[in-house]
Amino acid sequence: MWLNKVFLITFLRFLLFLFFILYALLYLPGYTQKAVVVVISSLYLSVALLNYFYSFKLRRLNGYIDFFFLIPLAFFSGEPLAIFSLLVPSLFSFPKNLVPFFISVLSATALGVYNFGLKGFLVFPLTLALGLSPSYVELLRSLQKDRRYFLELRRTYRSLQEELSVLEREKRQKETLLKLLELLDSTGPEEYLKGVKKMFQLKAIRVFPLNDSSVKECLIDQSSLTISVPVSLEEGNALVVFYLNHPAELMDMELKENLSRCAKMLKLYITGFEDKEQAVKIAV
């Protein structure tokens, strides 16, 4: 990127050199004035080439070396159009460096007053506008880069939020599983179900025997605010019914998964039901 920029600046300086050389050879009448412009232009091109091949040595002076040659060239050539050559250094230095920009505007205005008298002050707003105009392109590019950066930042933030929510959910599941493992120390199914009831703040838990295995998935009843989980035992089947407190809890998928896990862990305490005529076997 630096080499491309240096090449562009060198090319602009070559165009300025070409302008003054052609003007001196074709339009200047006196040999002395013509020789002065040609010599200064040649020195200007030599310094430009030196800066191109050894830019690391003249990098600090890169924004100022043009004025050592352009101001004398614009003055000795006597051409009013040469005033605008003083704006070229400000085009590739503004807005990073304001000093060359002000030197360009002030020197162009001074030469305008020298060539046109008081009318030359009109050069000041014109040169100021021409010097500032390239900054709007840089500003637009900067805003576009900032916009892309913020869009990428928002996408990254959303991705981090999703990953964080997944980690928090896994953390809650791990904590819930550890509490359920602690409940396995219960001496019986009633004590275990009481611990589950207290843990999830449920209204009640009831266990019904199932004569067949037609119920295979969790059932949600909004009228009674219950979640019914079928459980396969060693001898038969059971239906564990959890009574909730609020309708919104029926939509909580994480609560549904935990209650389903609690119901399936009940088979560690119950192998089956000997008396299948009783409707409710356990209620807490």
Side-chain angles (χ1 to χ4, degrees):
M1 185 65 185
W2 170 250
L3 292 178
N4 294 336
K5 181 180 179 181
V6 173
F7 175 79
L8 178 61
I9 294 175
T10 305
F11 181 70
L12 293 175
R13 289 168 175 169
F14 172 76
L15 293 178
L16 292 175
F17 160 79
L18 192 62
F19 167 78
F20 285 107
I21 283 293
L22 292 177
Y23 181 79
L25 296 178
L26 298 177
Y27 299 103
L28 288 180
Y31 290 102
T32 302
Q33 187 180 6
K34 184 180 298 187
V36 170
V37 174
V38 170
V39 170
I40 298 177
S41 300
S42 301
L43 292 175
Y44 180 52
L45 180 62
S46 300
V47 174
L49 294 175
L50 180 65
N51 182 72
Y52 176 73
F53 291 107
Y54 303 98
S55 58
F56 59 92
K57 293 184 178 180
L58 299 176
R59 185 175 300 178
R60 294 183 179 179
L61 300 176
N62 191 41
Y64 304 97
I65 57 177
D66 301 271
F67 300 108
F68 290 106
F69 301 97
L70 292 180
I71 293 177
L73 286 172
F75 177 77
F76 288 115
S77 64
E79 172 58 39
L81 291 177
I83 294 174
F84 298 102
S85 66
L86 297 172
L87 294 178
V88 176
S90 66
L91 298 180
F92 51 78
S93 62
F94 186 83
K96 293 182 179 180
N97 193 349
L98 295 178
V99 177
F101 168 72
F102 286 116
I103 294 177
S104 296
V105 174
L106 294 178
S107 58
T109 304
L111 285 174
V113 174
Y114 176 79
N115 290 326
F116 305 107
L118 295 178
K119 189 178 179 181
F121 282 107
L122 296 175
V123 176
F124 178 78
L126 180 60
T127 54
L128 188 64
L130 291 175
L132 290 173
S133 59
S135 65
Y136 293 103
V137 179
E138 294 294 331
L139 179 62
L140 180 60
R141 292 177 180 175
S142 177
L143 291 176
Q144 290 175 346
K145 291 180 180 179
D146 291 341
R147 182 176 179 274
R148 287 194 295 267
Y149 171 76
F150 283 112
L151 289 176
E152 185 66 26
L153 189 63
R154 287 177 60 184
R155 285 193 293 267
T156 305
Y157 179 70
R158 290 197 197 99
S159 177
L160 290 176
Q161 276 189 322
E162 293 175 357
E163 293 179 0
L164 181 61
S165 62
V166 172
L167 291 175
E168 290 179 348
R169 185 172 182 271
E170 292 178 352
K171 180 183 178 181
R172 289 195 302 269
Q173 289 179 347
K174 182 179 179 181
E175 292 175 350
T176 304
L177 184 59
L178 290 176
K179 292 179 180 179
L180 290 177
L181 292 176
E182 292 177 358
L183 290 177
L184 291 179
D185 295 333
S186 304
T187 57
E190 291 83 359
E191 185 180 352
Y192 168 74
L193 291 176
K194 286 180 181 178
V196 173
K197 177 183 176 181
K198 181 179 179 181
M199 179 178 174
F200 295 101
Q201 298 180 356
L202 304 175
K203 274 188 177 181
I205 303 175
R206 293 181 180 180
V207 182
F208 300 87
L210 284 178
N211 298 327
D212 54 18
S213 58
S214 59
V215 182
K216 296 182 179 180
E217 297 181 354
C218 294
L219 302 177
I220 298 177
D221 189 352
Q222 295 184 357
S223 60
S224 60
L225 299 180
T226 58
I227 296 178
S228 303
V229 182
V231 179
S232 298
L233 304 176
E234 293 184 7
E235 299 177 2
N237 301 289
L239 186 67
V240 183
V241 182
F242 300 95
Y243 293 84
L244 307 181
N245 297 287
H246 195 274
E249 295 179 339
L250 297 173
M251 307 301 295
D252 191 344
M253 298 303 298
E254 187 174 347
L255 177 61
K256 180 181 176 182
E257 293 177 0
N258 290 327
L259 294 179
S260 178
R261 187 180 294 111
C262 293
K264 293 178 180 179
M265 293 174 66
L266 186 62
K267 61 184 178 180
L268 299 175
Y269 296 94
I270 303 173
T271 58
F273 298 102
E274 296 179 357
D275 184 9
K276 297 184 180 180
E277 294 181 357
Q278 185 180 356
V280 180
K281 293 299 181 180
I282 304 175
V284 295

